[in-house]
């Protein structure tokens, strides 16, 4: 009971500190169809609630969710390798996500267990400039997703990819971890990475080199375990190891034909010379079929029942016929055995006839010694060792 006055002021102070802490607010402008990356690190959360600078070595974890919801929106993902590494919010908004979204981010100091909050206001709009109808997606197996999210590796990838594309501006459209696309977690061996899919768009057409890599002949060679058809120098190596068997190209410069909307008809089929249904159906009497279906099984079951009853009840031989078929000598022998058996059973039940000496327990043939008369010999076993 003495510890209660100590905890009450601490709890009141903690609640007051949480109520007095104001969440920071940051505004971002993601674009539809373009990759959005927001870094969560010590610079994003520079101070704790006590306005003390956070050392870079302090482990911090983050939790982000859409305001009023327990999770992030479907287009936004969060990743952090460890508490000593920065976290990332990344994704590419779709036209359905256009508008205003608020993301609430909470930072946890794993040493002092202090927390601070930040509101990330996302104003999602349409991109400016020309459209990017030519889109290509590459699988980079030498990197994890958080290694290409910063601006420096992403710009280096675009610069290296420009050597394989027609002259023009390249833009990142989306970055996705290979684990989110069905990839396997790599073994904990040095040099093994999870892999990342990088989607790039441009207003310039694809180069001949990229078309050859994504051709059906190249995919056929990959299916047979052979290297793909790469007709140009790989400018992405050695910084980025691209799996050229997983390159996909999408050309949206030619609009796809709109699906034909089916028009409802009157429900009457058109004249078809190969389909001539009968115009009239003749009347048919199903009484005969019903009687055959029901009566035939019943008649068969009745005949079987009568046959079984005749065999069991009307074909019995009887005792008289059995005795007449048996010889007299066999009958006398059987009756003699039966009479002797009954007589022996009666003698065993009465116990009035004295038992032979050889059947008495503990009878000594050489001395003629018997057990004392007071002992019930019927209860003594023939061999005393059986006790």
């Amino acid at each position: 009971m003495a510890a209660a006055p100590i905890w009450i002021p601490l709890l009141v102070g903690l609640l007051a500190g949480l109520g007095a802490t104001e969440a920071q607010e940051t505004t971002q402008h993601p674009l539809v169809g373009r990759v959005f990356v927001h870094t969560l690190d010590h610079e994003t959360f520079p101070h704790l609630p006590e306005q003390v600078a956070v050392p870079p070595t302090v482990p911090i974890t983050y939790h982000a969710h859409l305001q009023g919801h327990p999770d992030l929106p479907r287009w936004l993902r969060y990743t952090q390798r460890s508490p000593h590494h920065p976290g990332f919010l990344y994704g590419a908004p779709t036209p359905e996500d256009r508008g205003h979204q608020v993301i609430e981010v909470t930072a946890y100091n794993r040493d002092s267990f202090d927390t601070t909050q930040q509101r990330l206001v996302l104003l999602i709009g349409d991109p400016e400039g020309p459209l990017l109808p030519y889109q290509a997606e590459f699988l980079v197996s030498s990197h994890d997703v958080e290694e290409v999210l910063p601006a420096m590796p992403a710009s280096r990838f675009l610069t290296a990819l420009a050597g394989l594309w027609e002259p023009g501006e390249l833009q990142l459209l989306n970055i996705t971890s290979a684990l989110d696309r069905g990839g396997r977690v790599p073994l904990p061996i040095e040099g093994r990475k999870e892999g990342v899919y990088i989607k790039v768009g441009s207003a310039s057409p694809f180069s001949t080199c990229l078309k050859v890599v994504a051709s059906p002949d190249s995919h056929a060679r990959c299916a047979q375990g052979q290297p793909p058809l790469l007709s140009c120098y790989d400018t992405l190596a050695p910084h980025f190891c691209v799996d050229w068997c997983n390159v996909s190209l999408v050309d949206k410069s030619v609009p796809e034909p709109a699906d034909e909307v089916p028009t409802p008809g009157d429900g009457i089929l058109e004249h078809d010379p190969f389909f001539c249904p009968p115009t009239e159906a003749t009347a048919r009497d199903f009484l005969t079929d019903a009687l055959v279906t029901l009566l035939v099984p019943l008649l068969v079951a009745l005949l079987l029942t009568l046959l079984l009853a005749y065999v069991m009840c009307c074909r019995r031989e009887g005792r008289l016929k059995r005795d007449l078929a048996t010889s007299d000598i066999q009958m006398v022998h059987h009756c003699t055995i039966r009479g002797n058996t009954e007589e022996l059973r009666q003698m065993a039940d009465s116990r009035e006839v004295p038992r032979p000496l050889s059947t008495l327990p503990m009878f000594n043939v050489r001395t003629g010694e018997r057990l004392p008369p007071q002992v019930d010999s019927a209860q003594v076993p023939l061999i005393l060792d059986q006790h």
Side-chain angles (χ1 to χ4, degrees), residues 204-261:
S204 303
F206 301 117
S207 63
T208 305
C209 177
L210 293 178
K211 293 180 180 179
V212 172
V213 170
S215 63
D217 296 338
S218 180
H219 289 303
R221 290 174 57 88
C222 293
Q224 297 176 359
Q226 301 178 5
L229 298 175
L230 187 60
S231 60
C232 56
Y233 177 72
D234 186 3
T235 58
L236 294 171
H239 303 288
F240 299 94
C241 182
V242 177
D243 186 0
W244 294 105
C245 291
N246 285 279
V247 176
S248 59
L249 304 180
V250 178
D251 186 2
K252 296 185 178 181
S253 59
V254 180
E256 298 180 358
D259 296 336
E260 296 182 1
V261 179

Side-chain angles (χ1 to χ4, degrees), residues 353-371 377 382:
V353 179
R355 298 175 60 180
L357 295 179
S358 59
T359 60
L360 292 178
M362 298 302 296
F363 173 74
N364 194 334
V365 181
R366 184 168 51 85
T367 60
E369 183 181 2
R370 304 182 185 180
L371 290 177
S377 60
L382 296 178

Side-chain angles (χ1 to χ4, degrees), residues 11-26:
L11 182 60
V12 173
L14 178 60
L15 295 177
L18 293 176
T21 302
E22 296 182 359
Q24 306 173 11
E25 186 170 310
T26 304

Side-chain angles (χ1 to χ4, degrees), residues 30 34 36 72-77 90-94 97 101 103 122 124 174:
R34 304 291 189 272
F36 167 76
L72 291 170
R74 58 182 181 179
W75 66 271
L76 194 61
R77 298 180 181 274
Y90 67 99
T94 61
D97 302 317
Q101 294 181 354
I103 307 298
L122 303 180
I124 304 174
N174 199 359

Side-chain angles (χ1 to χ4, degrees), residues 23-203:
Q24 306 173 11
E25 186 170 310
T26 304
T27 303
Q28 298 287 341
H29 299 272
L31 300 178
V32 174
R34 304 291 189 272
V35 66
F36 167 76
V37 180
H38 180 70
T39 306
L40 303 175
D41 54 8
H42 297 78
E43 297 179 359
T44 309
F45 296 85
H47 301 289
L48 294 174
E50 293 81 3
Q51 302 298 324
V52 178
V54 180
T57 57
V58 173
I60 297 179
T61 57
Y62 307 92
H63 176 71
H65 63 91
L66 182 64
Q67 188 178 29
H69 297 78
D71 207 349
L72 291 170
R74 58 182 181 179
W75 66 271
L76 194 61
R77 298 180 181 274
Y78 166 75
T79 183
Q80 184 183 15
R81 180 58 57 177
S82 70
H84 296 280
H85 292 81
F88 295 95
L89 290 172
Y90 67 99
T94 61
E96 292 79 8
D97 302 317
R98 188 185 296 109
H100 175 270
Q101 294 181 354
V102 179
I103 307 298
E104 294 182 351
V105 184
T106 304
Y108 299 90
N109 188 329
R110 291 303 178 181
D111 285 346
S112 61
F113 300 101
D114 292 324
T115 61
T116 182
Q117 292 184 348
Q118 181 190 68
R119 281 195 296 268
L120 184 62
V121 181
L122 303 180
L123 302 178
I124 304 174
D126 294 327
E128 298 179 356
L131 299 178
L132 307 177
Y134 301 96
Q135 301 175 6
E137 190 174 53
F138 305 89
L139 173 58
V140 181
S141 58
S142 59
H143 288 69
D144 294 330
V145 63
E146 62 272 3
E147 296 177 350
V148 298
L149 289 175
M152 186 63 66
S155 61
R156 188 183 300 118
F157 181 83
L158 294 178
T159 303
L161 183 61
L164 300 176
W165 209 307
E166 295 292 339
E169 183 182 1
L170 302 179
Q171 295 187 19
L172 287 176
L173 302 183
N174 199 359
I175 297 177
T176 309
S177 174
L179 300 182
D180 298 333
R181 302 279 291 271
R184 295 184 177 181
V185 178
L187 296 175
I189 303 176
E190 185 178 0
R192 296 291 183 91
K193 300 292 183 178
E194 298 174 356
V196 56
Y197 285 91
I198 302 179
K199 192 174 185 179
V200 182
S202 176

Side-chain angles (χ1 to χ4, degrees), residues 318-338:
R319 295 182 58 185
L320 179 59
K321 186 176 182 179
R322 182 196 62 186
D323 295 342
L324 294 176
T326 306
S327 62
D328 296 338
I329 298 176
Q330 185 177 357
M331 293 294 298
V332 171
H333 186 230
H334 173 71
C335 293
T336 304
I337 294 176
R338 185 173 181 181

